[in-house]
Amino acid sequence: MTIKQETYRLSLVIPVYNEQESLSELINTLKRELSKLREYHPYEIIFINDGSNDQTLQKLKSIKDPLIKIVSFRRNLGKATALNIGFERATGEIIATMDGDLQDGPENLLPLLSKLNDGFDLVIGWKKKRHDSLLGKNIPSKAFNFLVRLISQTPLHDFNSGLKVMKKKVAREIFLYGELHRFIPVLAYQRGFKVAEIPVIHHSRKYGKSKYGNLSRGLRGAFDFLTVMFLHSFGERPLHLFGFLGGIGILLGMIFAIYLSILRFQGETIGNRPLLILAILLLITGLQMLLSGLIAEMLVNQRSFSDRNFPIDYES
Ligand code: UDP
Ligand code: MG
């Protein structure tokens, strides 16, 4: 039996949330650009309608094209989940992602793909000249990129570009939810994939409005980054972190408690010493921390072999 699905060379995954005005222009330009990329034919375009409450789904449905596939969520789940479903459905050897708002020019696909062919696993578009509001987007985004580059050591300038091309194995290995779409290159890099970037042309938003850029999104992004870094460093050995922190607490608590005990035996009253409260606090929190680490170890241990995702590159 031949599996017809596996014949695509390129899958383009596009999450859309209330982008009704952009769609027809987007599809037209895309088809024009993709028709130039003959070596990547046949391709498929997978639109993930992320619970839009405008005419996005109706518009998509009205386009009768066998190359265009649609997955539609009943409600808005966020770009990361949309991309994740898209990756799961995609059957191409190469998977590309792009925003549905025409900001990522489809003309950038070709240079990204040729860079991928230079031996990389993921290539991301670097919006060197960004066409978004300065205070609302550009400056926060620069700060975000700086911090992520510094902390994660991933050698890229622009982590949040919607434009990416990657080999199928990258998309298969990373699991996205929440706001994790911002960290796709970090997740790939942490798993040992070769990542690269090239400057791309970025356009200003023609239709609709941006769904990102407010403070609460930024905060959630910070938590997600913490998750990414924690899982990378301690995901397989949580006790090393919790045990260390808990151990310090317990040690300090013990030292203070012993010191106070000596004073008490020398006849001093210690009931009114703030140090006593600190000692007790350190002992209790330290112990809690240690126990959390042990529980986390139990969780890691519960995972079956098949649930684990080893970064295997070659096997013979
Ligand atoms: N998007 C989505 N779900 C959401 C928010 C956004 O699928 O909850 C899509 C949106 O339709 C667009 C892409 O993700 O195709 C990027 O969103 P947006 O342009 O608002 O972000 P920005 O470019 O301003 O960072
Ligand atoms: Mg946009």
Side-chain angles (χ1 to χ4, degrees), residues 119-156:
F120 292 100
D121 299 306
L122 178 141
V123 183
I124 180 166
W126 171 16
K127 300 178 297 255
K128 219 169 171 177
K129 197 164 167 11
R130 196 178 171 152
H131 294 278
D132 278 315
S133 71
L134 192 67
L135 272 180
K137 284 234 108 141
N138 285 11
I139 292 175
S141 161
K142 280 229 161 65
F144 165 85
N145 283 322
F146 173 77
L147 280 178
V148 174
R149 181 167 64 240
L150 190 76
I151 297 171
S152 73
Q153 298 286 312
T154 314
L156 299 173

Side-chain angles (χ1 to χ4, degrees), residues 15-17 19 48 50 76 78-79 82 99-101 103 130 132 137 160 205 209-212 217:
V16 279
Y17 176 49
E19 305 285 3
I48 317 293
D50 187 13
N76 181 248
K79 189 175 167 183
D99 286 354
D101 55 3
Q103 288 196 270
R130 196 178 171 152
D132 278 315
K137 284 234 108 141
N160 193 22
R205 213 178 221 283
K209 52 176 190 289
S210 168
K211 283 92 198 172
Y212 290 108
R217 292 263 188 192

Side-chain angles (χ1 to χ4, degrees), residues 8 10-16 30 43-49 60 67-72 82-83 85-92 95-98:
Y8 291 107
L10 176 71
S11 299
L12 189 56
V13 176
I14 308 182
V16 279
L30 263 181
Y43 62 85
E44 61 177 350
I45 305 178
I46 305 174
F47 279 100
I48 317 293
N49 171 38
L60 284 171
L67 298 177
I68 293 181
K69 320 227 157 110
I70 309 166
V71 180
S72 182
L83 284 173
I85 289 288
F87 290 169
E88 200 261 327
R89 296 288 197 272
T91 52
I95 296 175
T97 65
M98 179 184 280

